Amino acid sequence: MYYVRRIFKRKSFRLFPFLLALLFILAVGSQSYSSPPKSTEILWDTYGVPHIYGKDNKGIFNAFGWAQMHSHGNLLLRLYGQGRGRAAEYWGDKYLDSDRWVLTMGVPERARSWYWAQSPTFRSYLDAFASGINAYAQEHSDLIDDSVEVVLPVKAEDVLAHLMRVIYFTFIVDPDQVASVGVDNKQPKAGSNGWAIAPKHSASGKAMLLANPHLPWSDLFLWYEAQLTSPNINAYGATLVGVPVLAIAFNDNLGWTHTVNAYDGWDVYELKLADQGYRFDDKIYPFETKTLSLKVKQKDGTLSEQPLVIKSSVHGPVVKEKDGKALALRVVGQDRPGVLEQWWDMARSQNLTQFESVLQRLQLPMFTVMYADRDGHIMHLFNGLVPIRSQGDFKYWQGIIPGDTSKTLWTKIHSYRDLPRIVDPASGWLQNANDPPWTTTFPVAIKSDKYPPYMSPHEMNFRAQRSAKMLLKDKKISFKKMIAYKHSTRMELADRLLDDLIPAAQKYGQELAKQAVQILATWDRQTNADSRGAVLFAAWAEEIDLDKVFSKPWNQKFPLTTPDGLANPQSAVATLQSVAAKVKKTYGALDISWGEVYRLKYGNVNLPANGGNGELGIFRTLYFAPLGSEDGHFQAVAGDSFVAAIEFSNPVKAMALTSYGNASQPGSPHIGEQLQMFAHKQLRPVWRDRKDIQAHLAERTAF
């Protein structure tokens, strides 16, 4: 170390980055297990989780591609076909809009350039992942749907195109958000909860982490749970189907989860058209134009072709053109091809210093990072590629931006040190439920006045308030209690409004409204399967305007008790009267149980649900859609998906659940098999040691 210090002190030393990389490799290499396997194998446990043991990293990636095909083959190939922008060519015109979006955003072309921008080593890992996919398809073609085999063979470029479509052009921005900009809030609709608890707030004196993303239970949003082990990695977690590394993970020494942050990484610019071009800084610029051919499969199997003209300004691709104006879309980070390698190295890190050195690459364009480790550190990082903007607050940048001046055109990104971040707060805990970073803990640890006004808004949703209140409730939280809190179905909105609604109904209400509030007065304010009153209150909440119902708006000085009060009690009661009539007509009673109306239906499983809409302030989040032709009944389609509770004791204690099961491939026994535990508010043990895995071994795959 003496010689290393001497070298570092020499200002002329130019190999500093090389040495840092070398030290990182040496450090993470220390996690190797005692007897590295001579070959690669997958041990499948009884819940369909692949525990991959690789003789080297290429072996891991190859086996992980194979495993994903085994569990999600049809879905994976369909997603890759969409990432190519050729889904309409493969499967017909219902994919036309998807192809137009992917091609207009330049996804396939950029994926090719990203492939060659990878380091040679990591490029070989991506090739290995694609090879594993192809090998499975060749060996088990009878298990793959004939309609998706047209995507084969898969290339590493397809993996990157899929990643780009998911992260950049679904999570950061999607077509629906672009269409609603200036009319509706343009923030992502996906959500999550995340907790990091320090030893001082933990009953065991060990740091704990809670990972709890809320995503749709289908398509590109499905989580895949796995363990990856080789001579220099031993990480457990989950990733989205088709992604070759873990996106949420932990190892023996640290772990992290992500939440969708209240962040803006895209903007729509309004262009003034003139002379076949657009005005910019008092000049007229021509559009860059290219024409692609969209192929569309017809019902008779033939292909038709139609042109796709893509126009771009200095801001980005044009997404709409009408009445002498055009809208152009600008999205951050398309010059940052290292997302996957950053996630990979996050999982290989062994302490906070190493972990942050990886985060500082800023390749991951969004997502809050919630972190905890064996050393007792916890961290909240408002991670993202945040544009350096010359003017305006967060609300300003939610609208359509004037595109005729360079004053509004951002070209640079905030550095890592500019991002809101807190390590080891005095409170001993951190939470995020898609609220801005200013409310991650109390007393406030990240002060908004130290950051640009466009960094993040000032608000705290009811789910985040519920989250913070549970953490404030106990001075010392046990691992068991953390899991119990995770399953809390208490409705913060009911706590906030019933004390006003009940007396208002008794004063202004007709007989039916008075009957309704009698039920609400005795309701437990939960959305458990047997809760009576929850259906009625949720139906009322759906009919009111949450932006206008309160007499007191949210106040950052009182973040956990506002908004509050009914702005118009008589109107609220009239709405309750109307809703009560509908509930009684639909279900025959006002006090029907939550689980009778709201169901956990997935595959062949159909169970009573617990949990509900996060906007109601429910930590156990579920979103529902109408259940087939059954009038007034609903099934869960999104919400709690992958859940992991981790305590960094020795050994690490971990429980998890993948709500809908760890497979979607037809015929798999793992489709929906974990919903029974979900319905009973249970997590299952995570098996990480080989002896535990072998004790619950269902199948072995050797390579």
Side-chain angles (χ1 to χ4, degrees):
M1 286 302 298
Y2 169 77
Y3 293 105
V4 172
R5 286 196 297 270
R6 287 280 303 272
I7 292 172
F8 280 3
K9 288 180 179 179
R10 291 175 57 186
K11 295 181 180 179
S12 61
F13 185 65
R14 298 181 179 179
L15 295 180
F16 182 70
F18 170 78
L19 274 182
L20 281 180
L22 179 61
L23 289 173
F24 178 83
I25 292 169
L26 291 173
V28 298
S30 65
Q31 61 182 309
S32 60
Y33 41 83
S34 56
S35 54
K38 295 180 181 179
S39 61
T40 296
E41 63 179 351
I42 304 174
L43 304 182
W44 298 88
D45 71 28
T46 51
Y47 289 106
V49 176
H51 303 263
I52 299 174
Y53 289 84
K55 64 178 181 179
D56 54 28
N57 292 338
K58 286 178 69 173
I60 281 185
F61 278 84
N62 183 264
F64 200 24
W66 199 98
Q68 291 204 29
M69 281 293 287
H70 176 74
S71 305
H72 294 285
N74 290 353
L75 173 62
L76 184 148
L77 292 178
R78 194 169 294 274
L79 293 176
Y80 282 6
Q82 288 180 266
R84 285 180 185 170
R86 297 177 63 185
E89 175 185 343
Y90 299 150
W91 306 301
D93 59 7
K94 71 176 182 177
Y95 290 97
L96 256 177
D97 288 342
S98 170
D99 285 353
R100 288 192 185 105
W101 173 250
V102 165
L103 294 172
T104 300
M105 295 303 109
V107 169
E109 183 179 355
R110 193 175 303 108
R112 289 188 285 273
S113 66
W114 274 22
Y115 173 74
W116 292 108
Q118 306 297 312
S119 68
T121 298
F122 199 77
R123 191 185 309 134
S124 72
Y125 297 167
L126 297 181
D127 288 336
F129 183 78
S131 294
I133 290 171
N134 294 327
Y136 181 91
Q138 185 173 5
E139 295 171 29
H140 301 284
S141 60
D142 57 317
L143 301 179
I144 303 299
D145 193 274
D146 292 344
S147 68
V148 296
E149 289 185 341
V150 66
V151 179
L152 296 166
V154 164
K155 297 181 180 179
E157 295 169 6
D158 297 317
V159 180
L160 291 166
H162 170 64
L163 173 83
M164 198 182 304
R165 175 177 174 245
V166 170
I167 301 300
Y168 284 87
F169 301 111
T170 301
F171 276 91
I172 292 182
V173 61
D174 66 28
D176 290 340
Q177 292 169 275
V178 172
S180 65
V181 68
V183 178
D184 194 8
N185 191 306
K186 73 175 191 177
Q187 290 307 295
K189 297 178 178 64
S192 307
N193 299 324
W195 281 6
I197 299 174
K200 66 185 292 184
H201 203 67
S202 165
S204 67
K206 305 296 182 183
M208 297 190 294
L209 181 70
L210 177 65
N212 181 205
H214 308 147
L215 295 179
W217 289 10
S218 60
D219 200 48
L220 58 81
F221 301 100
L222 284 189
W223 290 98
Y224 188 54
E225 192 174 344
Q227 181 179 11
L228 307 179
T229 306
S230 79
N232 64 3
I233 191 172
N234 186 357
Y236 191 104
T239 194
L240 297 176
V241 171
V243 176
V245 295
L246 299 176
I248 292 174
F250 67 96
N251 56 41
D252 285 335
N253 294 309
L254 60 81
W256 81 90
T257 188
H258 289 309
T259 60
V260 173
N261 40 351
Y263 143 91
D264 185 355
W266 63 279
D267 287 302
V268 168
Y269 290 86
E270 184 177 85
L271 310 180
K272 296 178 180 178
L273 304 182
D275 298 335
Q276 306 301 311
Y278 60 97
R279 297 186 183 278
F280 187 70
D281 282 348
D282 298 323
K283 296 180 181 179
I284 297 176
Y285 287 77
F287 287 104
E288 291 185 11
T289 303
K290 61 181 177 182
T291 302
L292 303 179
S293 177
L294 267 176
K295 296 181 180 180
V296 185
K297 186 176 182 179
Q298 305 300 299
K299 292 182 179 180
D300 62 1
T302 61
L303 294 177
S304 68
E305 293 191 36
Q306 55 182 262
L308 175 64
V309 179
I310 302 172
K311 298 167 67 172
S312 298
S313 68
V314 295
H315 312 81
V318 172
V319 291
K320 187 176 181 180
E321 196 169 343
K322 188 178 180 181
D323 299 331
K325 295 180 181 179
L327 298 180
L329 177 65
R330 189 167 187 80
V331 183
V332 297
Q334 296 173 61
D335 59 345
R336 310 263 174 141
V339 176
L340 294 174
E341 189 166 12
Q342 178 170 317
W343 264 332
W344 170 251
D345 285 342
M346 286 162 65
R348 296 170 63 224
S349 301
Q350 297 300 296
N351 56 49
L352 179 59
T353 300
Q354 290 177 16
F355 190 78
E356 284 208 87
S357 73
V358 177
L359 289 178
Q360 287 168 12
R361 300 175 192 171
L362 283 182
Q363 297 294 306
L364 184 62
M366 68 174 293
F367 302 127
T368 290
V369 177
M370 303 293 284
Y371 166 97
D373 67 26
R374 184 187 292 275
D375 294 331
H377 297 300
I378 62 173
M379 178 180 68
H380 173 150
L381 171 68
F382 183 81
N383 172 75
L385 302 177
V386 181
I388 298 175
R389 296 173 163 119
S390 61
Q391 63 188 71
D393 59 9
F394 193 85
K395 184 177 180 180
Y396 171 82
W397 291 93
Q398 300 299 284
I400 296 175
I401 308 302
D404 58 350
T405 171
S406 57
K407 292 179 181 179
T408 61
L409 182 66
W410 45 263
T411 57
K412 296 181 180 179
I413 301 297
H414 279 281
S415 66
Y416 184 84
R417 66 177 178 271
D418 290 345
L419 301 176
R421 167 185 168 275
I422 183 65
V423 176
D424 300 336
S427 65
W429 59 268
L430 295 164
Q431 73 81 33
N432 188 258
N434 311 119
D435 48 321
W438 333 125
T439 49
T440 186
T441 195
F442 298 99
V444 172
I446 305 176
K447 297 184 178 179
S448 62
D449 58 5
K450 294 184 178 180
Y451 298 89
Y454 55 72
M455 183 69 71
S456 195
H458 292 81
E459 60 190 19
M460 191 176 192
N461 65 62
F462 283 113
R463 178 163 47 89
Q465 292 186 37
R466 184 82 205 126
S467 173
K469 284 183 175 181
M470 289 189 292
L471 285 161
L472 282 165
K473 185 177 179 180
D474 288 341
K475 291 184 178 179
K476 299 283 186 178
I477 298 176
S478 68
F479 184 67
K480 183 178 180 180
K481 194 63 175 289
M482 181 174 74
I483 293 174
Y485 281 146
K486 186 269 142 304
H487 290 118
S488 170
T489 70
R490 191 167 186 95
M491 195 183 293
E492 185 70 19
L493 184 66
D495 285 340
R496 194 63 50 85
L497 285 178
L498 281 183
D499 60 340
D500 296 302
L501 182 62
I502 291 172
Q506 291 168 343
K507 181 178 180 180
Y508 301 113
Q510 299 175 23
E511 182 60 29
L512 191 58
K514 290 179 179 179
Q515 291 177 20
V517 294
Q518 285 179 348
I519 292 168
L520 294 178
T522 59
W523 167 43
D524 61 8
R525 302 189 184 184
Q526 314 240 13
T527 52
N528 292 325
D530 59 355
S531 293
R532 296 184 181 274
V535 171
L536 178 61
F537 186 86
W540 174 77
E542 189 173 337
E543 292 298 318
I544 63 175
D545 186 340
L546 287 177
D547 292 329
K548 298 178 180 179
V549 72
F550 293 101
S551 58
K552 297 177 184 177
W554 185 78
N555 188 330
Q556 61 184 346
K557 293 181 180 179
F558 307 101
L560 300 177
T561 56
T562 57
D564 197 9
L566 286 171
N568 190 332
Q570 288 179 275
S571 175
V573 172
T575 301
L576 179 63
Q577 175 82 22
S578 173
V579 166
K582 292 178 182 177
V583 168
K584 191 169 184 177
K585 180 180 179 181
T586 303
Y587 306 112
L590 294 176
D591 63 347
I592 188 168
S593 67
W594 183 261
E596 188 173 340
V597 174
Y598 293 93
R599 309 294 295 178
L600 299 171
K601 188 176 187 305
Y602 199 90
N604 295 321
V605 181
N606 191 341
L607 298 165
N610 62 83
N613 193 319
E615 291 187 7
L616 302 176
I618 303 171
F619 197 69
R620 169 50 168 264
T621 304
L622 279 182
Y623 298 97
F624 297 90
L627 178 56
S629 59
E630 295 185 40
D631 184 40
H633 290 75
F634 303 87
Q635 70 179 84
V637 294
D640 276 15
S641 39
F642 173 69
V643 178
I646 305 114
E647 181 180 88
F648 288 97
S649 51
N650 190 12
V652 172
K653 188 185 297 184
M655 304 283 285
L657 197 77
T658 300
S659 302
Y660 32 69
N662 211 38
S664 65
Q665 196 65 0
S668 172
H670 305 298
I671 298 173
E673 72 170 335
Q674 297 181 47
L675 273 183
Q676 190 72 242
M677 286 178 283
F678 187 106
H680 290 93
K681 296 187 175 182
Q682 296 172 344
L683 302 182
R684 54 176 178 74
V686 167
W687 300 310
R688 295 175 63 237
D689 292 339
R690 193 178 179 96
K691 60 178 175 40
D692 291 330
I693 298 164
Q694 289 178 323
H696 301 89
L697 187 66
E699 185 181 353
R700 184 192 307 265
T701 305
F703 292 84

